[in-house]
Amino acid sequence: MPSNSNSSTRTTAAGRPATVAAPVAVARRTTPERILDTAEELFALHGYFGTSIRDIMQACGLEFSLARYHFGNKDALFREAIGRRAGEISKQVIASLDALLESTGNMPPGIEAIVTALSTPAFEHLKSGDRGWHNYLRLLTQNSCLLERPDLTAPFYDQYSPAAARYREAFALALPNADTDTVRLVQSFVESVFHLVLNELYARAAKAGANASAPPLSPREVERMRTYLIRFAVGGIDALARPGSPPGNPEH
């Protein structure tokens, strides 16, 4: 991609030099996109409660008033950030499942294959080194901290609900003897394991000192952790769905 010879002399609305690391990308982004990119990263790092609009605007070098103009308040900005890629990731995980079901024909899919299909799009994004997807997937791990604020996470869940329903159906096919509650528990368990593995990856990246000029996560490490996720999830589902071991009964 050709460079912009004038990018190094650009200044932000606050009068500070613009970021030089990616001048062309910064020059081509609109103001709302710059704000959203920064909000996505800071909300992912510090959570909704640990991030203010002032933090976001200072980080992207823009006037505080521009956030109010484009998004209104912090709640609206968070909802915009958490919903911006939800439709895309939903379509991707559905396509991954469709490919699996097409390959199995009339046979029910296996649990390992379903978990693999579910994890493939996110882990491919992580291996690509795309910082936007890196930040967004990390942002999604914050959802469990916002159980009392469903209005904030609704933009994600509303768009992702078709994918969740499809995977719930797939788990039901793979577990024909499981009741509806067990299938829902299985799905929640896989999502929880997914978040744990992602958090572990981000913690390792932080310890390794990932910076803006390097991929945030090693593709080799990402794939290794994905393997752990699948093995752990499959083992847990087997225990949850095993006959004689009803959910919530620690004695079995």
Side-chain angles (χ1 to χ4, degrees):
M1 184 179 292
S3 61
N4 186 331
S5 60
N6 295 324
S7 60
S8 61
T9 60
R10 291 180 180 272
T11 58
T12 67
R16 292 175 291 186
T19 302
V20 181
V24 175
V26 170
R28 290 181 177 177
R29 287 182 298 170
T30 65
T31 295
E33 287 172 340
R34 288 179 62 185
I35 296 171
L36 273 175
D37 287 344
T38 305
E40 192 174 60
E41 182 169 9
L42 293 187
F43 282 135
L45 285 171
H46 308 298
Y48 169 81
F49 297 106
T51 306
S52 68
I53 287 186
R54 193 169 301 279
D55 294 332
I56 293 166
M57 300 311 290
Q58 287 179 345
C60 61
L62 294 173
E63 295 289 351
F64 180 84
S65 60
L66 288 173
R68 298 289 186 187
Y69 175 76
H70 289 290
F71 298 100
N73 57 26
K74 188 173 86 166
D75 285 6
L77 179 53
F78 185 88
R79 284 191 287 265
E80 191 73 24
I82 205 166
R84 71 189 304 209
R85 304 177 197 262
E88 186 174 352
I89 194 66
S90 179
K91 291 177 182 177
Q92 290 169 354
V93 297
I94 288 175
S96 185
L97 180 60
D98 284 344
L100 166 61
L101 296 177
E102 184 177 352
S103 70
T104 59
N106 295 325
M107 297 294 292
I111 289 296
E112 181 173 346
I114 296 172
V115 176
T116 299
L118 178 61
S119 65
T120 292
F123 279 81
E124 288 302 311
H125 283 307
L126 292 175
K127 286 193 290 185
S128 75
D130 185 297
R131 296 196 73 86
W133 276 105
H134 166 89
N135 291 330
Y136 185 72
L137 292 168
R138 185 171 189 172
L139 174 60
L140 294 184
T141 67
Q142 301 281 349
N143 285 359
S144 60
C145 300
L146 294 169
L147 296 178
E148 296 181 356
R149 291 294 310 273
D151 59 301
L152 293 177
T153 54
F156 170 77
Y157 288 114
D158 288 348
Q159 296 182 73
Y160 190 77
S161 59
R166 288 291 307 279
Y167 275 86
R168 194 156 50 247
E169 292 170 358
F171 282 124
L173 288 174
L175 300 167
N177 297 321
D179 58 26
T180 301
D181 287 342
T182 299
V183 171
R184 289 185 179 277
L185 182 60
V186 162
Q187 186 172 25
S188 295
F189 172 74
V190 173
E191 292 170 357
S192 297
V193 173
F194 206 120
H195 287 177
L196 286 172
V197 170
L198 288 181
N199 279 324
E200 176 63 19
L201 277 168
Y202 296 131
R204 294 186 180 196
K207 289 179 181 177
N211 55 58
S213 63
L217 297 168
S218 158
R220 181 179 178 182
E221 184 71 0
V222 170
E223 189 58 33
R224 187 159 72 100
M225 292 301 291
R226 182 188 177 210
T227 300
Y228 290 158
L229 181 156
I230 294 169
R231 289 170 58 189
F232 186 71
V234 171
I237 291 170
D238 178 65
L240 286 170
R242 187 182 302 126
S245 300
N249 188 341
E251 297 179 359
H252 291 79

